[in-house]
Amino acid sequence: MNQLIVNNIYKTFNTFGSSKQNPALKNVSFSINEGECVVIGGENGSGKTVLMNIIAGLEEADSGEVKTSSRPGLVFQEAETQILGETVYEDVSFGPKNLGWKKEKITESVQRVLEITGLTDKADFPARFLSGGEKRRLAVACMLAMDLSIIIFDEPYANLDYGGVKQVNALIRELKAQNKTIIILTHEIEKCLALSDRFIVLFRGEKVFDGPAREGLLQKLENWNIRNPLASYNCFEDLVW
């Protein structure tokens, strides 16, 4: 079942100080099924963030359309910018409260997602003093508390140490077990490709590859300014963090 359809998305931006239009995305199309985990890779400036913003409804495309069966939840690269509550519990309950849910439903939802994201013991902890990995888990908990089934990660490994990467990947595994649809936009593909069902590559605003992760590693990724992880690892299985 298709949960997200991206159809011929085209987006341009004005060059600073000029009326010239530069394309950021050039007729990008793909569909993602319910429960799929898809890594969208590409160098900086390839169009990943623009595409993410369009899917999440934060920007409008010049042409094309996005169809989705569920409103996507977005985990920003700087997860701290999404913190709105003083404590972890207050932050997770913020969304459901604004949706007008009853107190009992909010309590049940918050307790459930804190357990899923491994933050139950941090419920009363000041949210801004969490580690980087914990802040990303908190951002996901906020999405899950509102019963969102599509989660988009924008560069989830930025500024994380080894422990933080392990935390994020453990969370992604848990989301997969919950049959959530996951989109990971990153240039650090070696950290998450082994978790994915599919690999999509953007290069200069165009989709240049869409297929299984193992098949993607057989492509000449260097032609798209992506470092092939197999240059440092012996085989696909070595990419498991």
Side-chain angles (χ1 to χ4, degrees):
M1 173 184 175
N2 286 336
Q3 194 171 25
L4 175 68
I5 299 173
V6 175
N7 187 29
N8 286 322
I9 293 296
Y10 190 88
K11 177 71 176 180
T12 59
F13 288 104
N14 286 332
T15 304
F16 182 74
S18 170
S19 60
K20 182 180 179 181
Q21 296 282 316
N22 285 327
L25 293 170
K26 307 173 187 177
N27 300 320
V28 173
S29 296
F30 57 84
S31 62
I32 296 176
N33 294 325
E34 181 179 357
E36 265 195 302
C37 178
V38 179
V39 171
I40 300 180
E43 63 179 331
N44 291 334
S46 62
K48 300 190 305 295
T49 298
V50 177
L51 176 62
M52 174 196 67
N53 287 339
I54 291 173
I55 292 174
L58 301 179
E59 292 185 31
E60 290 188 4
D62 296 339
S63 61
E65 61 181 349
V66 173
K67 296 180 180 179
T68 177
S69 62
S70 171
R71 182 167 68 90
L74 178 56
V75 179
F76 290 100
Q77 178 175 336
E78 299 297 335
E80 185 165 341
T81 63
Q82 295 178 259
I83 296 176
L84 298 173
E86 289 296 322
T87 67
V88 168
Y89 189 97
E90 290 174 358
D91 196 55
V92 178
S93 63
F94 183 88
K97 284 180 180 178
N98 279 272
L99 292 175
W101 290 9
K102 292 183 178 180
K103 184 177 180 179
E104 295 78 9
K105 184 178 179 181
I106 293 173
T107 300
E108 180 183 349
S109 178
V110 172
Q111 291 176 344
R112 176 178 58 84
V113 302
L114 288 179
E115 183 176 352
I116 291 172
T117 54
L119 291 171
T120 301
D121 293 342
K122 298 281 188 178
D124 298 320
F125 194 81
R128 295 194 180 277
F129 291 133
L130 295 172
S131 69
E134 289 170 338
K135 286 175 181 175
R136 282 174 174 80
R137 284 194 277 156
L138 175 58
V140 172
C142 293
M143 304 298 110
L144 297 179
M146 293 184 287
D147 204 26
L148 302 182
S149 58
I150 302 174
I151 309 295
I152 304 173
F153 291 87
D154 181 25
E155 296 290 354
Y157 307 106
N159 304 315
L160 293 185
D161 58 13
Y162 178 79
V165 173
K166 294 275 286 186
Q167 285 185 14
V168 171
N169 282 353
L171 176 58
I172 291 172
R173 289 188 184 94
E174 180 60 35
L175 293 176
K176 291 183 68 173
Q178 298 284 328
N179 201 41
K180 300 298 182 183
T181 301
I182 306 163
I183 303 172
I184 306 169
L185 299 106
T186 183
H187 67 280
E188 300 179 89
I189 62 171
E190 72 280 359
K191 295 177 179 176
C192 57
L193 209 55
L195 297 172
S196 68
D197 301 303
R198 274 170 61 205
F199 181 35
I200 294 174
V201 178
L202 294 181
F203 180 64
R204 296 178 181 174
E206 296 185 83
K207 185 185 77 171
V208 293
F209 178 80
D210 183 353
R214 289 177 183 272
E215 185 179 330
L217 292 178
L218 299 177
Q219 310 301 308
K220 292 184 178 179
L221 297 178
E222 294 80 4
N223 291 343
W224 305 319
N225 296 328
I226 298 175
R227 183 177 176 276
N228 195 317
L230 294 186
S232 300
Y233 296 88
N234 294 323
C235 62
F236 186 81
E237 285 71 21
D238 288 343
L239 300 181
V240 177
W241 283 63

